[in-house]
């Protein structure tokens, strides 16, 4: 098979996924990441458990799935990056700003994501070496080193390109992740905290359903976990040939992402309860509580710890790849750069923005995550809904989505037109008021 020349010129043929499962696995690889394990357990733990899970599932069905279908549909149709997709489908209109917003969000998320990814890698090595905690005195330079190591791994995959890098990496990493997660969840259930852990996750306290800030958290978490609102899935689906059934693929991606988040909860919360820790540890759950739990487990704790952080590292890497790919694809076309150059330029800027986080100055992970997940992604998602629902041609949308003129297609369209935008807009206003009153 002839290699497609890697170039930003549109006249050259664009890269494509090679195999049928390549696209779906890459989309799952993008979706399943720190958001499912660090973010989901953080949100579930601090928002009171099962009630949050219920709201999250509702958000996934009425906002997550329809928005994912919208991104898949326009990306495959336009065969271009996050910005170019809007320029192509709606020339000479301001819709392309949606794509620019996404490229901006990618820089922001990639400021902190590799910092966490680096911490994961560091913990993996610590557990492998028989320790249970990152040495206190290690100082900021060690953090910077791990930040860079994670970034370099991400860059390596993206430089190899769509089929030799992204597709190959995900084909290897995703099955490995699934097997390890099942094994770890099964082990977690034997630790004696299963009853409390599962009750915490699956028995809702109905009163907490009235909490609007929990709804916001759930929607933001849905966007982040499913990689929505930023054009990552527009970009991935632009490497797709026509013969894919998008509704089924999107359902598979949503199902796997949600299943893996729940499985991660099943491995984390029983262990947390078994050793009497607080499930509402927030950001410290994965990087503080869990290492402590592994440390208390005795003989197998170190192994469990190493396996857990290895798994988390895989998930983080495949997601970071998709985050980096959004601006890379845009830079290749817009500034006519070859893949290597675009990747290096973009990654360097991202690393510089991320350094203050590693050093613990100016702004931190929670702040940047908050801006991205609760503002930029839902806003991007809102524009994507409005574009496909109102800005584009109705018949074009239905046929390009593979829904056709079916009942499901009509429901999808009306969700994009009214239901999802209204929900996002209302929650957005609530959030702005909340932030103005109480800060992040
Ligand atoms: N979904 C990933 C996670 O759960 C993070 C991610 C990757 C992402 N690509 C994205 C989030 C695009 C928003 C947009 O960790």
């Amino acid at each position: 098979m002839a290699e497609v020349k890697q170039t930003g010129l549109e006249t050259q043929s664009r890269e494509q996924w090679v195999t049928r499962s390549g696209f779906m696995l890459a989309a799952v690889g993008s979706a399943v990441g720190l958001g499912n394990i660090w973010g989901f357990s953080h949100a579930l733990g601090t928002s009171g458990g099962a009630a949050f899970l219920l709201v999250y599932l509702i958000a996934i069905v009425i906002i997550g799935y329809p928005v994912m279908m919208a991104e898949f549909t326009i990306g495959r149709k336009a065969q271009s990056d996050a910005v170019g997709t809007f320029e192509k489908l709606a020339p000479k209109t301001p819709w392309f700003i949606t794509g620019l917003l996404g490229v901006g969000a990618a820089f922001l998320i990639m400021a902190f994501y590799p910092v966490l990814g680096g911490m994961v890698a560091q913990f993996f090595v610590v557990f492998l070496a028989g320790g249970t905690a990152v040495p206190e005195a290690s100082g900021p330079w060690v953090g910077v080193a791990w930040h860079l190591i994670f970034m370099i791994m991400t860059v390596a995959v993206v430089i190899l390109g769509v089929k030799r890098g992204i597709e190959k990496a995900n084909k290897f990493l995703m099955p490995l992740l699934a097997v390890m997660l099942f094994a770890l969840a099964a082990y977690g259930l034997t630790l004696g905290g299963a009853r409390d852990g599962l009750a915490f996750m699956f028995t809702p306290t109905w009163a907490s359903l009235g909490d609007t800030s929990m709804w916001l958290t759930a929607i933001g978490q849905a966007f982040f976990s499913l990689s929505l609102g930023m054009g990552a899935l527009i970009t991935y689906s632009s490497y797709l040939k026509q013969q894919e059934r998008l509704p089924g693929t999107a359902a598979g991606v949503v199902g796997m992402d949600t299943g893996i988040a729940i499985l991660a909860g099943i491995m984390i919360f029983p262990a947390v309860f078994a050793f009497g820790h607080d499930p509402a540890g927030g950001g410290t759950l994965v990087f503080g509580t869990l290492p402590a739990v592994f440390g208390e487990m005795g003989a197998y704790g170190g192994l469990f710890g190493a396996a857990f952080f290895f798994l988390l590292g895989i998930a983080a890497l495949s997601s970071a790849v998709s985050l980096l790919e959004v601006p890379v694809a845009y830079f290749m076309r817009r500034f006519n750069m070859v893949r290597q150059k675009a990747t290096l330029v973009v990654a360097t800027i991202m690393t510089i923005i991320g350094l203050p986080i590693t050093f613990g100055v100016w702004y931190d992970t929670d702040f940047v995550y908050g801006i991205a997940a609760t503002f930029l992604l839902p806003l991007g998602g809102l524009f994507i809904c409005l574009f496909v629902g109102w800005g584009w041609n109705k018949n074009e949308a239905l046929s390009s989505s593979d829904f056709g003129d079916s009942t499901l297609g009509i429901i999808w369209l009306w969700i994009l037109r009214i239901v999802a935008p209204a929900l996002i807009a209302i929650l957005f206003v609530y959030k702005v008021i909340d932030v103005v009153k109480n800060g992040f």
Side-chain angles (χ1 to χ4, degrees):
M1 202 185 302
E3 272 293 306
V4 176
K5 232 180 140 219
Q6 295 186 346
T7 164
L9 289 176
E10 272 204 287
T11 45
Q12 304 276 349
S13 63
R14 281 181 100 241
E15 298 168 78
Q16 298 235 294
W17 307 111
V18 214
T19 61
R20 253 197 93 75
S21 58
F23 166 65
M24 178 153 173
L25 283 178
V28 173
S30 168
V32 175
L34 293 168
N36 298 60
I37 300 167
W38 170 80
F40 184 76
S41 62
H42 178 160
L44 188 92
T46 50
S47 307
F52 170 84
L53 180 58
L54 189 67
V55 175
Y56 181 74
L57 292 176
I58 296 172
I60 289 286
V61 173
I62 58 178
I63 298 182
Y65 178 78
V67 174
M68 183 177 289
M69 272 306 294
E71 290 207 23
F72 279 3
T73 302
I74 57 179
R76 183 180 67 176
K77 181 73 191 173
Q79 300 280 301
S80 187
D81 55 89
V83 181
T85 288
F86 293 96
E87 290 172 348
K88 243 185 188 169
L89 299 182
K92 303 201 174 60
T93 62
W95 286 110
F96 72 93
I97 296 171
T98 311
L100 284 179
L101 200 72
V103 172
F107 279 98
L108 216 58
I109 296 176
M110 278 301 277
F112 75 86
Y113 209 84
V115 177
L116 297 180
M119 281 168 70
V120 169
Q122 189 178 7
F123 266 110
F124 167 65
V125 171
V126 164
F127 275 99
L128 210 58
T132 56
V134 171
E136 279 287 345
S138 63
W141 288 104
V142 177
V144 172
W146 284 105
H147 179 183
L148 288 179
I149 289 171
F150 186 85
M151 197 55 148
I152 289 168
M153 291 196 291
T154 311
V155 163
V157 175
V158 172
I159 279 190
L160 281 173
V162 173
K163 47 186 171 181
R164 281 189 304 149
I166 304 177
E167 182 165 351
K168 278 247 168 69
N170 279 302
K171 277 221 158 146
F172 166 71
L173 295 176
M174 286 306 108
L176 189 62
L177 182 132
V179 170
M180 287 188 70
L181 197 57
F182 270 105
L184 290 181
Y187 179 63
L189 287 175
T190 66
L191 292 174
R195 174 192 285 268
D196 291 341
L198 296 180
F200 179 71
M201 283 184 71
F202 298 113
T203 316
T205 39
W206 299 109
S208 42
L209 281 179
D211 177 5
T212 51
S213 108
M214 181 193 56
W215 283 76
L216 293 168
T217 311
I219 293 197
Q221 174 62 23
F223 269 97
F224 191 82
S225 186
L226 292 170
S227 300
L228 297 174
M230 204 196 83
L233 298 180
I234 294 178
T235 307
Y236 270 14
S237 55
S238 78
Y239 303 129
L240 198 57
K241 299 186 203 94
Q242 295 304 310
Q243 67 271 29
E244 177 97 17
R245 308 289 303 162
L246 293 181
T249 307
V253 176
V254 170
M256 280 198 237
D257 186 75
T258 310
I260 286 179
I262 293 173
L263 255 181
I266 292 177
M267 75 150 284
I268 291 172
F269 289 105
V272 167
F273 279 99
F275 292 91
H277 288 276
D278 180 9
T284 64
L285 193 59
V286 162
F287 295 115
T289 310
L290 275 185
V293 168
F294 299 143
E296 286 154 333
M297 275 180 194
Y300 294 109
L303 205 63
F304 192 12
F308 173 78
F309 283 107
F310 184 70
L311 168 127
L312 195 53
I314 292 173
L317 181 63
S318 56
S319 297
V321 164
S322 74
L323 286 159
L324 180 55
E325 178 67 13
V326 170
V328 166
Y330 171 63
F331 273 48
M332 281 168 69
R333 179 186 58 86
R334 179 68 180 76
F335 303 113
N336 214 348
M337 290 178 176
V338 292
R339 179 170 275 281
Q340 262 118 316
K341 183 168 175 197
T343 310
L344 291 176
V345 168
V346 169
T348 304
I349 302 173
M350 287 169 167
T351 307
I352 293 170
I353 309 177
L355 281 181
I357 300 178
T358 317
F359 280 108
V361 293
W362 298 340
Y363 42 83
D364 65 5
T365 301
D366 280 1
F367 177 72
V368 182
Y369 172 82
I371 293 192
T374 39
F375 288 105
L376 295 180
L377 300 179
L379 197 63
L382 176 70
F383 290 150
I384 291 170
C385 290
L386 294 177
F387 175 69
V388 176
W390 302 105
W392 204 23
N393 178 297
K394 173 188 163 199
N395 296 325
E396 188 91 72
L398 285 175
S399 70
S400 306
S401 68
D402 300 333
F403 272 131
D405 213 357
S406 63
T407 314
L408 270 181
I410 303 295
I411 295 175
W412 174 63
L413 215 54
W414 283 102
I415 288 182
L416 294 181
R417 285 179 172 173
I418 309 274
V419 182
L423 268 174
I424 296 171
I426 292 168
L427 292 174
F428 209 73
V429 172
Y430 265 111
K431 185 70 187 179
V432 172
I433 295 173
D434 183 53
V435 168
V436 170
K437 276 207 294 222
N438 307 317
F440 263 110

